[in-house]
Amino acid sequence: MKKWQDKEEFKALFTEKAHILWEKEIQDMNRNEVYQTLAYMIRDLISDDWVATNRRYDQEKAKQVYYFSIEFLIGRLLDSNLIGLDMEALCREGLADLGWDLDQVIPAERDPGLGNGGLGRLAAGFIDSLAALQLPGHGNSIRYQYGLFKQKIIDEQQVELPDNWLVDGYPWEVKKVDKAVYVRFGGNAYMRPDGHGGLECVHEKYDTVRAVPYDVPIIGYHNDTVNTLRLWRAEYSREEVYRELTIGDRHRAFRYKDNVQQISRFLYPDDSTEEGRRLRLMQEYFFVSAGIQSIVRHYKKKYKKSLYDFHKYVAIHINDTHPALAIPELMRILMDDEGLSWDAAWEVTTKTMAYTNHTILPEAMEKWDIPLFKSLLPRIYLIIDEINRRWLEEVREVFPGDEEKARGVAVLWGGQVHMAHLAVLGSHSVNGVAEIHSQILKDSTLHPFYTCFPQRFSNKTNGITHRRWLIQSNPQLSALLDDCIGDGWRQDPSRLIEFEPYATDPEVQERLGRIKRARKEVLAQYIEKTTGTTVDLDSIFDAQVKRIHLYKRQTLNILHVLYQYLQLRDHPEKTIIP
């Protein structure tokens, strides 16, 4: 791994990069300019490794994992990347010589508006771990212009403001115009004889959206691996606009441009209206189609293998049902573009796809009304209709007359497309994110599928990356661990169990207490600075870091606070730790 040799080299490179980017003296730069300069320096540092990583995967014909998720809550990257490169201390020293404190610069980075909660953090944790383990795994999502809303409470009411996280640009990303692909929406799709005794699909009168990828490097921890998070931005096709203007329909041309720009504008558009639901479905198909087109193109160019062997070199994992359209989209490409038969395409698809479920409540499972789905994605609907027809034929053959059984596993039923059923049916592996969750899927939520495919179901317990949530967030505790058990846990977190014998060591306990209090002081200072509220350091800190929004856990939490308050008011004699 390439590194800055010492702080003198760092300072020289920083000064040179600052002059190129801003044409300013260092003392005249603002905090955001210092942050961006550092980010571009890190990109320069890892560029050779990024290229070499991709070259190595291609030369080795490695099987690559592509993790499709509508969210990636990657967080700020400057600090975590410096830690991953083992360059934080050197950078801190060099910046100090130039008159800047790294701890003051780090907050200048805006939190990327690419994720919201557990779903997005799980996805970010996976691609972080893949790079740390030097495994060929990459992310695929949407480059949202605005993340989930910023929240302010004004006159006791929630006020929602757009989170324009890209306002100053994003120095970590690389735009890859030459890798753009085109995604089709609307139009008519139908089957006709192909002249050779078979059928072919005709898809006509559709609108085209240009999908442009922006690649973000995912840096492995203390190794030379740099994987990729590919984010897709929707752009209108100039040819499409010119066509409408040529036939004189200016209103349709402007409507087309606006619809396209909406696709990658907001994370989670409001889906309480028909228009909002349509936009959400467009988002889901947009990033899935763009991603799979890109993967197939890369496979054909670099691997030069038969598409019948696609699943031997490519694994596509769908995080919840938002990317479940990957299943019919891969079928479409294999059949319509590459000429595979239905049976061959289905075998390749099911061996390629795997699905992580996040929801045990049947009423929360993603479903789409067929008229909306059919009008927006006519070719994909034909494929899903055929998947459903063939599948229910099998089910009714095994369970004749049992329509309840058919209903429980149908992809199309009751005028809706059932996305979780499509995801299970089109995957070779299905998992929940906790042991109890996975068991509920087998026993209840997806039980009819479990009886059909018991071998497909497994558990993958959710976890966290200790690189961000221990090494980065608590350097004092990390240092204590190093002193007690050595630093091997930084590469291998399973070694943290070696700290257990120190649970009764009074000296370690005393030091641990000091560290906990020091971290509470940091939080208390932040609370006072941002809210004006002074908190008691001797009290228990219970922090919930979320917008006050629709989540039931927040309602339960505030009800518990009210309960405790009422208990104290009605029973003043009670003793309770603050």
Side-chain angles (χ1 to χ4, degrees), residues 461-485:
T461 298
N462 195 354
I464 63 166
T465 166
H466 70 298
R467 289 169 288 279
R468 183 177 286 269
W469 301 115
L470 178 50
I471 296 170
Q472 181 181 338
S473 68
N474 200 330
Q476 295 95 329
L477 180 56
S478 299
L480 172 62
L481 289 165
D482 287 346
D483 291 346
C484 292
I485 63 172

Side-chain angles (χ1 to χ4, degrees), residues 431-442:
N431 68 274
V433 293
E435 202 169 333
I436 188 170
H437 174 197
S438 298
Q439 197 60 46
I440 291 169
L441 294 179
K442 293 193 285 189

